[in-house]
Structures are given as structure tokens and as C-alpha cells.
Amino acid sequence: MHWRRDVRRFRKDKIVDEKILHRTLSSSFHSAPSVGLSEPWRIIRIDSEHSRQVALTNFQEMNAKALDGYKGGKKQQYASLKLSGMQEAPVQLAIYCDDSTSKGSGLGAQSMTEMRRYSVVSAITLFWLAARSVGLGVGWVSILDPIRLTHDLGLSEDWTLVGYLCVGWPEEDNDTPELERYGWEKRTSVDDMNITSI
Ligand SMILES: Cc1cc2nc3c(=O)[nH]c(=O)nc-3n(C[C@H](O)[C@H](O)[C@H](O)COP(=O)(O)O)c2cc1C
């Protein structure tokens, strides 16, 4: 867990073996908890040149818009960050939540429908750790217009984008988040973690 990182820099000389990818994906998603056992995740591989371009353009436009929201030094710093590995990641996955699934018969999701999406987040976290355990890196990209991406990829409107994941062999292993190394934000120390009793 300590060495899991959000990876945005991938080796260009090493492809991801399909068997390793399949085992990592299937073991993690198969083991994941989900509300009512609804297993609402839908995994889309973004493989074709067209799909990759659609996703990359979406990221570039949303990232430019995000940059506009910063001023001065923070803007300069934001512009210098690498916030996705979409240009080089050999494997790219759009992970959706099927909000309309009947699996689980609504158990646990009637008063809090967002629980299905939280289930997908749980599964992604297991995948992130499983990938790390075999040496693969995963980078989560959220600087996207999800509705436009879903439309442009021709996917169901009942599905909600939860995470766009870049997967590949990392250029390096590191135990410190990249945003901390580049001075954007610091990770809270274990001693400062607040657990409140009420
Ligand atoms: C829901 C979610 C969305 C994220 N979106 C992005 C993103 O769009 N671009 C990016 O560079 N990192 C993204 N990250 C990665 C975080 O920046 C990263 O997890 C954080 O800086 C801590 O670093 P670590 O994951 O290496 O521990 C995202 C992480 C999560 C959990």
C-alpha cells in the first residue's frame, strides 16, 4: 500500500502482457465488495486510435479549462504538472458504473443510490493494489468531461464514468506521491491523522 502510486510516466519499451492484465483485472474486480452484490462496474478498454483520440482531446480541453481557473504562481505550477499518461500508457480503461443494473435488486442502494458508484471505486482500489503487486502502474485521470466522453464513445447514458485509468509499467518506483515531489500538496503525516470520537 505504501508503494502504490498514481503513475503518469510509463515505459515505452515494454508492453503489458495480456495474461497479466487479465489476471490482475479479474482477480481484483471479482473480489471487490459491492452494494447488494450488484457488481455494477463496466470495464471498457480504450484501444482504437479513434477512442484514444476522443479521450485525449477531452482531457486536453478540460485540462486547459482547469488551468484557466488558477492564477499567478499556482497557475504556472499547474501548467508544469503531468496530469495524465494518456499519450503513452499502453493500456487505458474507462471504468463505468451501471446505475440501472437490476443485479442486487436494489439492496442497500435505495436510500443512497450513489452506493453503486462507491462500489466501483472500491473495486478500482483493489485493482490499483493488485496492479502494484505485480509491478504495474495505474494512473487515475479525472480531468475529463464524463458526459461528453460517454457520448463520444457511444456508450449507454445509464452508465456513469467513475475512473479513466492509464496502465503500464512505471518508469520508476517511488514511495512519495508525485504531487508532493513537485510541491503541489503534502501528504498528511500518520501522526496528524484525525480520528474523532463523538
Ligand atoms: C478519484 C481520483 C482522481 C484522480 N485524478 C487525477 C487526475 O486527473 N490527474 C492526476 O494526475 N492524478 C489524479 N489522481 C491521483 C492523485 O493526484 C494521487 O492519488 C495523489 O496525488 C496521491 O498520490 P499517490 O496516489 O501516488 O499516493 C486521482 C486520484 C483519485 C483517487
Side-chain angles (χ1 to χ4, degrees):
M1 287 189 286
H2 183 72
W3 283 88
R4 179 209 53 77
R5 285 283 68 73
D6 186 87
V7 175
R8 302 143 208 183
R9 299 167 202 274
F10 298 96
R11 284 177 59 172
K12 296 182 189 81
D13 59 337
K14 202 174 166 197
I15 58 153
V16 177
D17 181 89
E18 282 297 317
K19 274 197 203 125
I20 295 179
L21 177 69
H22 187 260
R23 202 172 55 230
T24 311
L25 270 174
S26 54
S27 62
S28 48
F29 278 81
H30 180 71
S31 312
S34 62
V35 65
L37 200 52
S38 57
E39 300 178 304
W41 38 80
R42 304 290 178 261
I43 303 168
I44 307 296
R45 272 186 79 158
I46 307 297
D47 275 344
S48 72
E49 214 171 292
H50 171 73
S51 304
R52 290 239 172 153
Q53 194 52 56
V54 156
L56 181 62
T57 305
N58 189 312
F59 165 75
Q60 286 167 336
E61 289 181 15
M62 287 303 110
N63 201 32
K65 212 167 165 182
L67 177 66
D68 275 348
Y70 295 102
K71 287 191 175 64
K74 208 65 181 167
K75 185 170 193 165
Q76 263 184 339
Q77 202 183 7
Y78 184 91
S80 72
L81 296 171
K82 180 166 170 56
L83 296 172
S84 97
M86 291 168 81
Q87 309 240 34
E88 60 271 47
V91 176
Q92 300 188 23
L93 306 166
I95 312 289
Y96 277 85
C97 176
D98 181 354
D99 292 310
S100 67
T101 186
S102 58
K103 193 165 188 301
S105 305
L107 190 152
Q110 297 197 33
S111 49
M112 294 175 76
T113 52
E114 65 273 27
M115 287 302 155
R116 290 196 189 90
R117 297 177 191 178
Y118 296 164
S119 304
V120 178
V121 175
S122 306
I124 292 175
T125 305
L126 289 194
F127 171 64
W128 212 334
L129 291 172
R132 170 64 227 178
S133 75
V134 294
L136 280 172
V138 175
W140 189 321
V141 186
S142 56
I143 305 164
L144 292 163
D145 175 339
I147 293 172
R148 193 176 125 202
L149 186 69
T150 306
H151 175 266
D152 290 350
L153 294 175
L155 298 169
S156 166
E157 284 176 11
D158 290 334
W159 293 8
T160 302
L161 181 71
V162 175
Y164 189 99
L165 307 180
C166 293
V167 183
W169 300 104
E171 275 185 0
E172 59 161 7
D173 292 333
N174 207 300
D175 70 346
T176 306
E178 185 160 324
L179 289 188
E180 183 158 349
R181 280 180 277 146
Y182 284 76
W184 180 266
E185 188 55 273
K186 280 202 191 88
R187 188 160 49 176
T188 308
S189 99
V190 175
D191 298 335
D192 291 339
M193 201 176 83
N194 272 324
I195 299 172
T196 310
S197 295
I198 55 168

